Amino acid sequence: MSIAFQDVEQALHDADSEQSSIGQRVVTSATPFEWFFVITGGLGLFLPFIWCVGERELNTESLIHWYYWLSVLIGSPHVYATYVRLQRKITEGKAHFLWGIPAYVAIVGLLTSVHSIGYFVVTITLVNVWQSFHYLRQTYGVSCLYGGQKNFDAVDRKRRWWAYHLVFPYLIFGRWDTLYDAWEGRTYDLIPMDFNASFMTILLFIACIGFSIQIASEFVLFRKSPSDYNPTGLICFLVCIGIHYYGFMVLSHFQRGFEAVTFFHAMQYLALVWVLERSERQKTGTHWIAAIPNLSGFLVFWLVLFVLGFGWEQYVTAGIGKWWVIASTILLSAVSVHHYVVDSIIWRRSIGR
């Protein structure tokens, strides 16, 4: 299971495009908390842990199914954070209530139907590709939020968009290709793909163009006004490329890289929602943590994930009823798909902060 992500639409809150009362662009300055948990995704907190556990233990899973349990531990809070934001958007009338539980139930029904006709693994493979795009788009959104410049214009914004999105295909297809090498061509819960070396070289060339656009764009911004230049956008870009290249492309660190990207994405998302929701609650004079759709709801949510995962793990290791692993796989996969779908709605600029 991969509990994680989706589309942080063209700017989470494209602060650099807003105008102040005196006509000057508003530039969001990151606090130390935002630097550590949002921009760098808490890398300094969890990378030592991943390195300590080691590639061999993560790969063999002799003591614990790291892939699942680490995803639940770090992934479930960030998925629940999506529902916190969704609940506020529904309450404000900016999102329809059907995107909540009704949408999840519909996704469960869809995945059940797909399983019954024998296309579940194919479907989940495509969802996994969507997951990779979702991870990358989130970092683009963070760049839009914190990488603003007082002299940032529409042309600069287009350059940033192209810089990120020209790099994305190489990383997305690269992750899929790395799966093939790591699993030696075998299919597990996903179908790996062995992409032609020439195809990957073309994508690498396109990615290099995107990288060059970002560097050139930063140079242009610096030349416009050296005193007002904000390097945060460049830092966001380099962090995005660095962590996802490590997590998607480095075969010798396949397990550690996967967990690193999972932690990075979930930590970044959770911290970002914390920052934005707290800001919104403060505007209305409400203590934001008290306005979360009952904290006990999260405990129930996590407990359900635990029970499903425990049953799935027991089936794998001891062989209990097959119905459990099918049901838990569908229900857990539906959480991921629902998370991606909801994120594509609640982060749109038209819906607002």
Side-chain angles (χ1 to χ4, degrees):
M1 180 193 82
S2 300
I3 306 179
F5 60 43
Q6 169 59 357
D7 214 303
V8 180
E9 198 57 42
Q10 159 140 356
L12 311 160
H13 175 56
D14 199 353
D16 57 292
S17 68
E18 291 190 353
Q19 304 292 322
S20 70
S21 58
I22 60 174
Q24 192 176 50
R25 294 185 185 279
V26 177
V27 179
T28 301
S29 297
T31 64
F33 175 88
E34 291 165 288
W35 270 106
F36 190 83
F37 287 106
V38 181
I39 294 174
T40 63
L43 288 171
L45 185 66
F46 62 79
L47 275 182
F49 168 74
I50 293 172
W51 278 85
C52 181
V53 173
E55 185 72 14
R56 179 177 298 179
E57 179 56 39
L58 288 172
N59 187 50
T60 58
E61 298 189 341
S62 58
L63 298 178
I64 185 174
H65 287 278
W66 293 102
Y67 175 78
Y68 176 80
W69 293 111
L70 286 182
S71 293
V72 170
L73 178 65
I74 190 63
S76 54
H78 106 273
V79 173
Y80 193 74
T82 294
Y83 300 144
V84 170
R85 187 172 177 85
L86 174 64
Q87 179 63 35
R88 178 169 68 83
K89 295 297 183 181
I90 291 174
T91 301
E92 294 174 348
K94 296 177 180 178
H96 202 284
F97 81 92
L98 291 177
W99 291 116
I101 293 177
Y104 174 75
V105 173
I107 291 170
V108 170
L110 177 62
L111 292 181
T112 302
S113 300
V114 167
H115 179 272
S116 67
I117 61 178
Y119 284 93
F120 184 77
V121 175
V122 173
T123 302
I124 295 303
T125 299
L126 295 177
V127 169
N128 185 260
V129 175
W130 183 6
Q131 180 194 58
S132 299
F133 178 70
H134 166 82
Y135 280 11
L136 291 162
R137 278 285 292 182
Q138 177 173 297
T139 59
Y140 168 67
V142 169
S143 173
C144 289
L145 178 61
Y146 293 102
Q149 311 275 345
K150 291 182 179 179
N151 54 356
F152 203 72
D153 58 30
V155 175
D156 296 319
R157 188 172 296 106
K158 287 182 180 179
R159 290 196 193 102
R160 173 180 286 162
W161 191 95
W162 281 109
Y164 273 84
H165 289 77
L166 288 177
V167 175
F168 287 174
Y170 176 67
L171 294 172
I172 293 171
F173 284 95
R175 183 190 192 193
W176 208 354
D177 187 72
T178 301
L179 278 177
Y180 186 91
D181 295 331
W183 294 351
E184 299 179 340
R186 293 188 293 270
T187 296
Y188 293 103
D189 53 339
L190 302 172
I191 303 172
M193 291 289 290
D194 184 22
F195 292 104
N196 183 278
S198 298
F199 174 70
M200 292 304 299
T201 300
I202 292 172
L203 293 185
L204 175 58
F205 177 74
I206 294 172
C208 288
I209 294 175
F211 190 89
S212 299
I213 290 174
Q214 178 69 30
I215 299 302
S217 178
E218 294 297 324
F219 180 73
V220 169
L221 288 170
F222 178 78
R223 288 291 300 273
K224 281 183 179 180
S225 180
S227 61
D228 291 328
Y229 175 69
N230 178 15
T232 308
L234 177 60
I235 294 172
C236 288
F237 181 78
L238 295 177
V239 169
C240 165
I241 302 306
I243 188 62
H244 288 95
Y245 182 86
Y246 175 66
F248 288 1
M249 310 291 288
V250 181
L251 183 61
S252 61
H253 287 228
F254 173 72
Q255 295 294 338
R256 278 178 290 192
F258 176 84
E259 298 298 350
V261 170
T262 299
F263 271 75
F264 171 83
H265 169 79
M267 191 79 72
Q268 183 180 71
Y269 188 103
L270 182 61
L272 181 63
V273 172
W274 173 283
V275 169
L276 296 182
E277 292 304 305
R278 181 178 59 181
S279 173
E280 290 302 305
R281 303 303 180 186
Q282 288 173 342
K283 288 179 183 178
T284 60
T286 305
H287 188 39
W288 84 275
I289 202 166
I292 291 179
N294 62 59
L295 286 175
S296 60
F298 170 71
L299 298 179
V300 173
F301 176 72
W302 200 93
L303 179 63
V304 169
L305 295 181
F306 176 83
V307 171
L308 290 173
F310 180 77
W312 173 83
E313 187 176 56
Q314 294 306 303
Y315 169 79
V316 172
T317 57
I320 65 173
K322 188 176 182 180
W323 63 270
W324 184 278
V325 76
I326 294 174
S328 60
T329 299
I330 290 175
L331 292 172
L332 291 170
S333 298
V335 171
S336 296
V337 177
H338 185 233
H339 171 55
Y340 309 155
V341 170
V342 168
D343 267 5
S344 67
I345 301 300
I346 63 175
W347 293 103
R348 289 179 179 175
R349 296 180 67 188
S350 59
I351 288 183
R353 188 165 180 146

